[in-house]
């Protein structure tokens, strides 16, 4: 699923859609796999809407054994928290055979109505969806991750660009893997020489951090998570799970076809490069470029990835200044432990200001922690507590990275906050100084909803708890989410209307369903 936002002075419209969720056999990387599809499509359909439009989607679950909930990533659901699509937080997921209706207003725009965007392009607007692709099922992954002994899910088999990839079918029967299947023909973006194109690049990966590049071309980054940024030029764009960037690229090279490619970074790659074609018209759009695909940046060049993070600043004229101070500070220590023998990536919740003892149900972790070695507290506990925040208060979240249970290993974690955008106040190496002066960027910090936490470093965020409801904040890597890396922020929930009947039906909510 993808939701593209447009900008218009036209009167707001209502968009009605019906999505039927089914199992389908798909060969997105030439390997035949049972997949989940929306209206027969994987990836799902694109919704195109303007600011202020109302989206209504009737979701019919035709799956045999799986419940369905749809989260509208990046839509803050202001006034409609029950539509956030978070199973166990805002709703009971839709059971097989049932239908749920999502209705909300598109809210994401940073320029007032009637004003143009601060950049121009004349060659069209294209979505580029990057994803990683496993041949094993989510059931197998969940079993491995919760098994004794714990089994890691491993690296994905393929990288896809707009749902197309190429797996090595050598020694496999064509009924299993067939490179002539039209489903896995590389995606091709047709470009007219001399024109400038806007690419909206989104990562829907379940694990992988990626780089994206277009052979022989520079990209100018102009937007991050639908917030305008000071333009900067790059050859390799780093994109973490859940992030969205707009880049401008001009077809200003010799008139032939070029590779678009994506590679794994942050983890030692065991997955082939994902490929697509930047097709210079009038060359045939399926004609492969005559060159070797660019290799992309070194997978372990953490410095280059940090430099991109530091380069992202709010664009002049579109700066939304953060509050100069915060009311509360929360530190989330990203590490790894075991719980009853099972491995968990457990964020430690540490309150750094006074008078927070009534907020949490767990004993605070000590402030003297070691981020560089395997954790000593290898039999940790979990908690179902939530952070209860004063409505409209300003909250700082310090994401602190540390060592996993493997020697000299600290993983990249992309964190996503529902219901809000946050200011990114800064990044740093090593251990965050909780008692000393930390220089934050209060002049032009960018606002985003997803941000990377780099190995053995910290990331500082600030947001205003001004959206009534209970909102997830979590690592966007699916395996890490399952292993214990979500937290929940609550504020102003007394202002929220009663939940719709369709959101109930699990646990104790069964008793609330009216006949």
């Amino acid at each position: 699923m993808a939701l593209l936002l447009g900008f218009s002075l036209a009167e707001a419209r209502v968009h009605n859609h019906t999505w039927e969720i089914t199992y389908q056999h798909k060969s997105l990387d030439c390997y035949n796999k049972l997949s989940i599809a929306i209206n027969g499509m994987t990836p799902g359909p694109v919704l195109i809407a303007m600011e202020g439009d109302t989206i209504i989607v009737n979701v019919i679950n035709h799956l045999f054994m799986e419940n369905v909930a749809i989260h509208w990533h990046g839509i803050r659901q202001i006034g409609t928290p029950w539509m956030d699509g978070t199973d166990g937080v805002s709703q009971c997921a839709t059971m097989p055979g049932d239908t749920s209706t999502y209705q909300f207003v598109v809210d994401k725009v940073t320029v007032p109505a009637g004003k143009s965007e601060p950049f121009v392009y004349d060659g069209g607007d294209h979505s580029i969806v990057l994803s990683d692709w496993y041949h094993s099922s989510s059931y197998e992954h969940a079993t491995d991750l919760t098994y004794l002994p714990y089994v890691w899910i491993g690296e994905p088999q393929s990288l896809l660009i707009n749902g197309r990839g190429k797996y090595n079918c050598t020694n496999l029967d064509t009924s299993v893997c067939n490179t002539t299947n039209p489903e896995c023909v590389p995606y091709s973006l047709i470009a007219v020489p001399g024109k400038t194109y806007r690419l909206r690049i989104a990562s829907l990966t379940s694990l992988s951090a990626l780089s994206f590049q277009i052979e022989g071309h520079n990209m100018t980054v102009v937007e991050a998570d639908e917030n305008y940024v000071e333009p900067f030029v790059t050859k390799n764009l780093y994109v973490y799970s859940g992030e969205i960037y707009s880049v401008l690229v001009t077809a200003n090279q010799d008139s032939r076809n070029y590779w678009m490619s994506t590679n794994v970074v942050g983890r030692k790659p065991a997955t082939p490069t994902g490929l697509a074609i930047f097709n210079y018209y009038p060359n045939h759009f399926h004609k492969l470029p005559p060159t070797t695909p660019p290799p992309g940046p070194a997978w372990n060049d953490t410095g280059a990835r940090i430099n991109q993070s530091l380069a992202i600043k709010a664009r002049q004229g579109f700066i939304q200044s953060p509050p100069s101070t915060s009311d509360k500070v929360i530190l989330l220590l990203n590490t790894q432990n075991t719980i009853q023998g099972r491995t968990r990536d457990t964020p430690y919740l540490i309150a750094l200001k006074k008078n927070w003892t009534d907020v949490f149900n767990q004993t605070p972790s000590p402030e003297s922690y070691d981020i560089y070695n395997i954790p000593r507290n290898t039999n940790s506990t979990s908690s179902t507590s939530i952070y209860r925040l004063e409505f409209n208060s300003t909250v700082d979240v310090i994401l602190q990275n540390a060592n996993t249970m493997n020697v000299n290993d600290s993983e990249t974690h992309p964190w996503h906050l529902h219901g809000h955008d946050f200011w990114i106040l800064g990044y740093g190496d090593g251990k965050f100084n909780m008692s000393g002066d930390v220089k934050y960027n209060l002049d032009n910090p960018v606002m985003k909803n997803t941000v990377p936490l780099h190995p053995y470093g910290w990331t500082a965020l600030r947001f205003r708890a001004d959206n009534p409801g209970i909102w997830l904040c979590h690592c966007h890597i699916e395996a890490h989410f399952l292993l214990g890396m979500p937290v929940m922020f609550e504020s102003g929930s007394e202002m929220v209307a009663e939940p719709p009947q369709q959101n109930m039906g699990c646990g104790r909510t069964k008793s609330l369903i009216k006949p």
Side-chain angles (χ1 to χ4, degrees):
M1 184 282 299
L3 179 66
L4 296 186
L5 305 183
F7 308 97
S8 173
L9 290 176
E11 193 172 317
R13 298 186 300 161
V14 177
H15 304 261
N16 280 283
H17 299 270
T18 296
W19 284 3
E20 301 197 37
I21 315 298
T22 59
Y23 295 111
Q24 302 272 330
H25 283 283
K26 296 290 183 182
S27 299
L28 304 188
D29 65 347
C30 305
Y31 185 96
N32 189 297
K33 175 192 171 183
L34 186 66
S35 308
I36 294 175
I38 301 176
N39 294 350
M41 294 183 286
T42 303
V46 174
L47 303 185
I48 300 178
M50 305 293 178
E51 174 201 7
D53 285 2
T54 295
I55 303 292
I56 302 174
V57 180
N58 300 300
V59 177
I60 306 171
N61 182 4
H62 292 296
L63 304 182
F64 303 124
M65 298 181 294
E66 296 181 70
N67 297 344
V68 169
I70 295 180
H71 169 57
W72 311 88
H73 185 100
I75 301 296
R76 291 175 289 177
Q77 299 294 352
I78 298 171
T80 52
W82 302 116
M83 299 293 114
D84 193 45
T86 45
D87 183 22
V89 179
S90 65
Q91 70 169 98
C92 298
T94 306
M95 297 180 66
D98 284 352
T99 300
S100 291
T101 299
Y102 293 88
Q103 180 171 338
F104 55 90
V105 174
V106 174
D107 70 286
K108 287 289 288 181
V109 60
T110 55
V111 292
K115 291 191 177 180
S116 60
E117 295 180 285
F119 47 82
V120 295
Y121 51 96
D122 56 358
D125 188 331
H126 299 271
S127 296
I128 302 293
V129 177
L130 309 177
S131 52
D132 49 13
W133 193 244
Y134 285 89
H135 294 167
S136 51
S137 69
S138 57
Y139 291 114
E140 291 173 88
H141 288 183
T143 300
D144 288 344
L145 293 170
T146 57
Y147 196 67
L148 285 177
Y150 160 87
V151 179
W152 176 241
I153 61 174
E155 301 302 307
Q157 278 65 62
S158 298
L159 299 179
L160 310 181
I161 299 178
N162 281 0
R164 307 289 184 91
K166 189 76 72 175
Y167 184 68
N168 185 353
C169 293
T170 303
N171 299 325
L172 293 174
D173 190 271
T174 55
S175 64
V176 175
C177 193
N178 186 353
T179 56
T180 66
N181 191 315
E183 279 191 319
C184 59
V185 171
Y187 167 75
S188 185
L189 191 157
I190 299 175
V192 175
K195 290 191 176 293
T196 298
Y197 293 82
R198 178 185 189 166
L199 309 184
R200 301 176 189 255
I201 302 170
S203 173
L204 301 185
T205 59
S206 60
L207 171 67
S208 306
L210 300 175
S211 69
F212 175 81
Q213 44 276 325
I214 302 175
E215 177 193 8
H217 294 72
N218 290 329
M219 296 176 286
T220 302
V221 181
V222 295
E223 188 183 59
D225 289 355
E226 296 166 2
N227 292 285
Y228 298 133
V229 302
E230 277 295 305
F232 65 93
V233 177
T234 185
K235 289 187 177 295
N236 304 296
L237 179 70
Y238 297 105
V239 191
Y240 303 91
S241 179
E243 285 193 314
I244 303 170
Y245 290 96
S246 282
V247 304
L248 304 181
V249 58
T250 302
N252 56 8
Q253 301 299 306
D254 293 339
S255 186
R256 65 169 177 86
N257 288 354
Y258 294 82
W259 291 110
M260 296 190 290
S261 62
T262 187
N263 302 83
V264 171
V265 295
R267 307 177 65 86
K268 189 172 183 179
T271 308
T273 299
L275 296 173
I277 299 171
F278 194 63
N279 164 228
Y280 271 58
Y281 183 82
N283 295 298
H284 194 281
F285 60 93
H286 281 167
K287 184 178 181 181
L288 298 181
T291 52
T292 301
W299 70 270
N300 55 354
D301 189 353
T302 304
R305 292 187 280 128
I306 293 173
N307 286 339
Q308 176 181 294
S309 294
L310 294 172
I312 301 174
K313 307 295 184 186
R315 184 154 186 157
Q316 293 296 318
F318 298 90
I319 296 172
Q320 301 179 56
S321 298
S324 58
T325 60
S326 65
D327 301 305
K328 296 187 184 299
V329 181
I330 301 169
L331 189 143
L332 303 179
L333 178 60
N334 290 240
T335 184
Q336 198 175 71
N337 308 111
T338 56
I339 299 177
Q340 297 176 342
R342 290 181 164 84
T343 300
R344 291 290 183 268
D345 292 287
T346 308
Y348 283 72
L349 311 178
I350 303 176
L352 303 183
K353 287 195 173 183
K354 299 179 181 179
N355 302 321
W356 277 52
T357 56
D358 60 335
V359 175
F360 310 109
N361 292 335
Q362 72 278 354
T363 302
S365 298
E367 293 187 1
S368 57
Y369 51 86
D370 179 1
I371 70 170
Y372 293 107
N373 294 300
I374 295 174
R376 289 183 219 146
N377 52 331
T378 54
N379 193 26
S380 185
T381 58
S382 62
S383 172
T384 57
S385 302
I386 62 174
Y387 284 92
R388 302 186 69 89
L389 307 174
E390 182 179 347
F391 183 71
N392 216 29
S393 63
T394 300
V395 180
D396 283 358
V397 176
I398 311 300
L399 302 171
Q400 173 69 69
N401 218 339
N403 208 91
T404 68
M405 295 182 71
N406 298 315
V407 176
N408 298 325
D409 179 46
S410 182
E411 298 188 346
T412 301
H413 299 285
W415 277 82
H416 172 53
L417 175 60
H418 293 220
H420 307 76
D421 280 355
F422 47 70
W423 291 275
I424 302 175
L425 301 186
Y427 301 86
D429 293 326
K431 189 175 177 180
F432 182 78
N433 187 349
M434 293 183 291
S435 58
D437 266 346
V438 178
K439 177 147 181 73
Y440 287 149
N441 174 21
L442 299 178
D443 297 325
N444 58 350
V446 68
M447 298 191 79
K448 292 179 91 263
N449 59 61
T450 306
V451 66
L453 173 61
H454 297 291
Y456 296 115
W458 54 265
T459 302
L461 317 175
R462 179 168 292 173
F463 73 96
R464 189 176 281 117
D466 57 359
N467 191 4
I470 300 179
W471 306 101
L472 272 174
C473 182
H474 60 94
C475 178
H476 211 268
I477 294 174
E478 290 184 10
H480 292 181
F481 186 98
L482 174 66
L483 292 172
M485 293 189 77
V487 297
M488 286 182 284
F489 296 129
E490 179 276 337
S491 65
S493 58
E494 69 279 0
M495 306 178 192
V496 173
E498 289 296 311
Q501 286 284 296
Q502 68 173 22
N503 284 43
M504 297 185 276
C506 57
R508 294 183 182 178
T509 67
K510 294 175 184 176
S511 63
L512 301 176
I513 297 178
K514 298 175 182 178

